[in-house]
């Protein structure tokens, strides 16, 4: 069958509903993958099951997928390193001084300052979403725990400051990827168009603004309000039945005895990982640039041509090597201890690596079904110019929600949204913004989004609890965005 029609959207929707209802995200994803391949194989359950198995194996045919899964596992080694070396303890000691300073001014104010610092850290790390959410969760989890801020709140801040900042400050692989998509549509001055669209990209702006309002006002809604009440009254950072993405071995590994706690034993490895990300993007993309007019132009274009998966993998490997040299020079650890910690860290993050594998596998299955293309094509014939930006936003959101990828959504929707804007004579920058914002919104809400998964992991939060507590805030931002696009659609 060439066109699976409405059947193409059933597996991802069922997987998402199952995950939210049962909290068994592994089983939900497995069922979604299996059901997809049963449909593809004309409802033959035997061949569908075998195809589902092969589909999971074929995830590793993609070098990018393999690198991302390796990155997810190796992060565990880095987390154990900075914990065991008392680097985390040293950082907390320094942050406690900041907390004490603000606590003297006004009781309870330190909770607000720490949350705002976490948000600011995530925004400043706009170069790559995985590193942004990973760093925020890792750095601030011990301090949030001490101040009795629920893990769900940390995951929300880490998630809401990663992709939104990367799309609003597009001097990274995101910006280069978007420019490449605009070039393929034959648009002149893609860089200018991309920058002009930022002012209309309402959802990422609102997502960050809502976090600030929630933190400063100290007012939460829905499941997040319940999480705050639970932590405030009982001291429990997680629900009783929750299953944090990180095991207690990673989050509460006892530091080595007899050594001094130094903040730089954590800051240097993490700063190395962050710093190496753009360097690796330039390195991996340098040879692919043929039309640069200057060195700065070559660097910017190289970032766009670079491999994001290679860059994050090389960055975490470099950070681990720097940590090894740093700790060995201080005689904190012997070589055997470090190797044991690397292996232990990898083993503890195997559940995360498995979850990433399943997320990639259901994405591949959705591609085979043509989920994104079906939704996009279905909407072509009944749109009017006034409603175009709002509808483009909704469709992009649905595709990203169903597939768990904003980049995949951009690739699908840009090829459809821009020609539709030209045919209907709709403002091109508004349509581009709606496509990008919709991809971020859908990805932000989706339990199979890799950014959401990494945010849950780094914050040691239950993944479904993170999705549930974040969803009301995301929906508020999404609804306001749709209203704004409807207003502008009629006004412009």
């Amino acid at each position: 069958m060439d066109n699976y029609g409405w059947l193409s959207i059933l597996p991802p929707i069922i997987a998402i509903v199952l995950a939210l209802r049962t909290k068994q995200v592994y089983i939900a994803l497995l069922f979604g993958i299996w059901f997809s391949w049963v449909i593809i194989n004309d409802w033959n359950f035997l061949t569908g099951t075998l195809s589902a198995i092969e589909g999971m194996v074929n995830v590793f045919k993609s070098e990018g997928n393999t690198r991302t899964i390796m990155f997810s596992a190796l992060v565990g080694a880095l987390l154990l390193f900075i914990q065991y070396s008392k680097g985390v303890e040293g950082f907390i000691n320094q942050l406690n001084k900041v907390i004490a300073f603000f606590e003297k001014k006004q009781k309870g104010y330190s909770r607000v300052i720490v949350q705002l610092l976490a948000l600011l850290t995530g925004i400043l790390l706009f170069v790559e979403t995985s590193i942004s959410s990973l760093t925020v969760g890792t750095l601030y989890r011990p301090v949030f725990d001490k101040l009795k801020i629920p893990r769900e709140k940390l995951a929300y801040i880490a998630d809401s400051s990663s992709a939104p900042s990367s799309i609003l400050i597009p001097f990274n692989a995101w910006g280069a990827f978007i420019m490449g998509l605009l070039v393929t549509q034959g648009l002149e001055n893609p860089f200018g168009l991309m920058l002009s669209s930022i002012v209309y990209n309402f959802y990422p702006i609102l997502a960050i603004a809502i976090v600030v309002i929630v933190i400063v006002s100290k007012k939460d809604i829905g499941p997040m309000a319940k999480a705050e009440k639970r932590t405030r009254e009982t001291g429990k950072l997680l629900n009783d039945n929750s299953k944090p993405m990180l095991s207690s071995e990673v989050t509460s590994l006892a530091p080595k005895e007899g050594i001094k706690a130094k903040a730089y034993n954590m800051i240097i490895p993490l700063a190395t990982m962050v710093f190496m990300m753009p360097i690796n993007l330039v390195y991996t993309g340098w040879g692919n640039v043929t039309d640069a007019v200057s060195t700065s132009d070559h660097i910017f274009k190289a970032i766009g041509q670079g491999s994001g998966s290679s860059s994050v993998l090389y960055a975490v490997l470099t950070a681990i090597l720097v940590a090894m040299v740093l700790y060995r020079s201080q005689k904190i650890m012997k070589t055997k201890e470090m190797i044991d910690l690397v292996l232990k860290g990898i083993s503890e993050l195997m559940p995360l690596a498995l979850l990433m594998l399943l997320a990639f596998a259901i994405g591949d299955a959705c591609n085979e079904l043509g989920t994104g293309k079906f939704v996009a094509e279905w909407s072509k014939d009944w749109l009017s110019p006034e409603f175009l930006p709002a509808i483009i936003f909704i469709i992009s959101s649905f595709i990203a929600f169903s597939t768990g990828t904003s980049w995949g959504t951009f690739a699908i929707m840009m090829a459809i949204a821009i020609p539709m804007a030209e045919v209907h004579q709709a403002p091109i920058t508004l349509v581009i913004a709606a496509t990008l914002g919709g991809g971020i919104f859908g990805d932000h809400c989706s339990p199979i989004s890799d950014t959401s998964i990494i945010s849950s992991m780094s914050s040691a939060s239950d993944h479904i609890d993170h999705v549930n507590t974040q969803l009301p805030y995301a929906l508020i931002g999404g609804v306001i965005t749709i209203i704004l696009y409807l207003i502008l659609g009629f006004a412009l």
Side-chain angles (χ1 to χ4, degrees), residues 156-368:
Y156 167 53
I157 293 172
D159 204 351
S160 298
S161 60
S162 56
S165 65
S166 292
I167 202 75
L168 291 174
I169 313 173
F171 299 99
N172 48 29
W174 286 64
F177 176 69
I178 292 162
M179 277 205 306
L181 294 176
L182 296 178
V183 168
T184 61
Q185 295 304 310
L187 295 175
E188 295 181 3
N189 190 18
F191 183 67
L193 277 175
M194 180 179 67
L195 292 182
S196 299
S197 71
I198 291 174
V199 70
Y200 298 115
N201 202 349
F202 302 122
Y203 179 75
I205 297 170
L206 287 167
I208 294 173
I210 289 170
V211 177
V212 174
I213 292 168
V214 167
I215 293 172
V216 174
S217 69
K218 302 178 186 178
K219 300 293 183 182
D220 287 283
I221 60 172
M224 189 71 82
K226 293 179 182 177
E228 283 280 8
K229 183 180 179 183
R230 177 202 70 220
T231 306
R232 186 171 57 251
E233 294 179 353
T234 69
K236 293 179 180 178
L237 299 167
L238 295 160
N239 284 321
D240 291 331
N241 60 345
S242 66
K243 295 178 182 178
M245 291 285 292
L246 272 179
S247 74
S248 59
E249 291 289 337
V250 175
T251 56
S252 59
L253 177 71
K256 188 169 184 176
E257 296 180 359
I259 61 173
K260 187 177 180 181
K262 299 173 182 175
Y264 64 73
N265 280 330
M266 181 191 76
I267 293 171
I268 290 176
L270 288 179
T272 298
M273 182 173 66
V274 173
F275 175 74
M276 288 305 297
M277 178 64 199
I279 299 296
N280 291 328
L281 280 172
V282 173
Y283 173 75
T284 55
W286 190 265
N288 298 325
V289 178
T290 57
D291 57 345
V293 295
S294 65
T295 302
S296 59
D297 184 48
H298 199 134
I299 290 172
F300 186 77
K301 288 181 177 177
I303 288 176
Q305 296 291 329
S307 168
S309 59
S310 293
S311 298
V312 292
L313 178 59
Y314 300 162
V316 75
L317 284 170
T318 306
I320 290 171
L321 289 173
V322 167
M324 285 180 164
V325 173
L326 182 65
Y327 304 152
R328 192 75 178 88
S329 65
Q330 298 176 65
K331 298 182 180 178
I332 293 176
M333 301 180 206
K334 295 180 179 178
T335 303
K336 185 179 183 305
E337 277 183 291
M338 292 189 286
I339 297 300
D340 288 343
L341 276 178
V342 169
L343 296 175
K344 186 176 182 62
I346 291 172
S347 67
E348 294 297 338
L349 257 68
M350 275 297 109
L352 172 66
L354 175 61
L355 192 57
M356 297 293 281
L357 184 151
L358 294 175
F360 286 135
I362 198 168
D364 291 342
C366 287
N367 286 336
E368 287 288 329

Side-chain angles (χ1 to χ4, degrees), residues 22-23 72 76 123 140 150 213 220 240 279 291 302 359 398 435 471:
T22 67
K23 290 196 172 187
S72 302
I123 293 171
Y140 290 94
I213 292 168
D220 287 283
D240 291 331
I279 299 296
D291 57 345
F398 184 74
T435 304
L471 196 57

